[in-house]
């Protein structure tokens, strides 16, 4: 019996597989051709701001919108790196507000090949760009290394951690830069280290719009065996 079943299944196997594939393709075409509404995330970027000005804090980097269209076109849209640019040309110091409309997203974020088949129905969140703009300030500030963790038992940090170069030119919103007296590197973890370590690390500038030059700093930390475990002498 099993032999007959096997022979039946294997008879014209190529034709059966081709028929199955065609059926699956037809089903996929029917399903993905149906209309749906999806929530899509669109990237947001700011452009055109004068070089003498800076944005305070962290402006939104994405906006969630609802888009209606055929499922296959919605899938293509989700696979596309969509972005909406907000033009700040002509903006002056103070509060800047701008409503994000469905027309903005439809005309400037949806790819041209999909704009006729998809309809942006709603801007969900955020609906408004609300930021503060300030004059830009630049200062040269000392850089200090930030060390976390602890050396293993029997080891210690020999001297102070060093950073090179020891200063940075920090630029950003005037009120933010004016409050700084020192900037710190990202943490260097010494857990488990038993000898001198060196790490190239950037500054910890927080989530705001500060920039710094140079961008990376060499942190040197010398770790030595404690005197009690080295015959009473330091290395």
């Amino acid at each position: 019996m099993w032999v007959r079943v096997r022979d039946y299944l294997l008879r014209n196997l190529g034709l059966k597989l081709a028929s199955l594939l065609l059926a699956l393709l037809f089903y996929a075409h029917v399903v993905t051709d149906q209309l749906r509404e999806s929530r899509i995330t669109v990237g947001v970027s700011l452009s055109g701001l004068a070089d003498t000005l800076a944005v305070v804090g962290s402006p939104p980097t994405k906006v969630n919108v609802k888009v209606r269209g055929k499922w296959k076109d919605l899938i293509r849209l989700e696979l596309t790196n969509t972005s909406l640019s907000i033009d700040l040309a002509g903006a002056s110091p103070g509060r800047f507000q701008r409503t994000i409309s469905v027309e903005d997203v439809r005309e400037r974020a949806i790819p041209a090949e999909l704009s006729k088949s998809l309809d942006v129905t709603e801007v969900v969140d955020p609906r408004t760009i609300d930021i503060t703009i300030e004059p830009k300030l630049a200062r040269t500030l000392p850089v200090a290394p930030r060390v976390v963790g602890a050396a293993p038992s029997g080891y210690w940090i020999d001297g102070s951690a060093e950073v090179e170069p020891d200063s940075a030119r920090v630029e950003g919103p005037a009120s933010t830069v004016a409050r700084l007296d020192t900037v710190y590197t990202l943490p260097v973890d010494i857990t488990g280290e038993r000898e001198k370590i060196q790490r190239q690390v950037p500054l910890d500038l927080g989530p705001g719009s500060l920039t710094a030059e140079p961008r990376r700093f060499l942190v040197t930390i010398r770790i030595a065996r404690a005197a009690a475990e080295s015959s009473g002498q330091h290395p």
Side-chain angles (χ1 to χ4, degrees):
M1 175 180 177
W2 290 111
V3 173
R4 282 182 292 178
V5 172
R6 184 191 62 186
D7 291 341
Y8 174 78
L9 292 175
L10 295 179
R11 189 180 305 139
N12 297 321
L13 180 61
L15 180 60
K16 291 176 180 177
L17 290 176
S19 299
L20 177 60
L21 178 60
L22 288 174
L24 291 174
L25 290 175
F26 179 75
Y27 174 78
H29 172 74
V30 171
V31 171
T32 59
D33 216 41
Q34 296 175 353
L35 291 177
R36 295 194 178 191
E37 186 173 67
S38 294
R39 185 164 170 160
I40 304 296
T41 299
V42 176
V44 174
S45 61
L46 305 180
S47 63
L49 186 65
D51 291 339
T52 57
L53 301 176
V55 175
V56 180
S58 302
T61 58
K62 60 184 179 181
V63 58
N64 295 308
V65 301
K66 289 183 179 180
V67 182
R68 182 171 177 79
K70 293 182 179 180
W71 191 17
K72 60 184 178 183
D73 293 327
L74 292 172
I75 293 174
R76 289 178 60 193
L77 180 63
E78 290 180 341
L79 296 176
T80 303
N81 186 22
T82 55
S83 180
L84 174 64
S85 178
I86 304 297
D87 188 9
L88 298 182
S92 57
R95 188 177 184 182
F96 175 91
Q97 288 182 302
R98 188 186 188 287
T99 299
I100 302 176
S101 67
V102 294
E103 288 77 15
D104 290 332
V105 179
R106 183 186 302 118
E107 296 173 4
R108 295 156 49 199
I110 304 298
E113 63 272 18
L114 295 174
S115 60
K116 293 182 179 180
S117 58
L118 294 176
D119 184 33
V120 181
T121 59
E122 182 184 357
V123 177
V124 181
D125 178 57
R127 297 182 177 181
T128 303
I129 297 294
D130 190 350
I131 57 176
T132 299
I133 297 174
E134 287 186 359
K136 187 180 289 184
L137 175 65
R139 295 174 61 201
T140 298
L141 297 169
V143 175
R146 180 172 285 138
V147 181
V148 297
S153 177
Y155 291 82
W156 65 308
I157 298 179
D158 187 3
S160 301
E162 301 173 359
V163 61
E164 185 181 349
D166 60 3
S167 64
R169 185 178 186 273
V170 180
E171 188 175 77
S175 63
T176 303
V177 177
R179 290 195 299 265
L180 299 174
D181 53 17
T182 303
V183 285
Y184 295 86
T185 67
L186 288 177
V188 177
D189 191 354
I190 64 169
T191 301
E193 299 291 347
R194 289 177 167 80
E195 57 187 18
K196 183 178 80 170
I197 61 173
Q198 291 184 310
R199 299 283 190 274
Q200 287 277 357
V201 292
L203 294 180
D204 184 3
L205 297 176
S209 52
L210 296 177
T211 59
E213 286 293 338
R215 296 184 178 181
R216 300 184 71 84
F217 298 78
L218 178 65
V219 176
T220 301
I221 305 171
R222 294 176 175 83
I223 298 177
R225 187 182 295 273
E229 299 189 11
S230 57
S231 302
Q233 298 182 356
H234 292 299

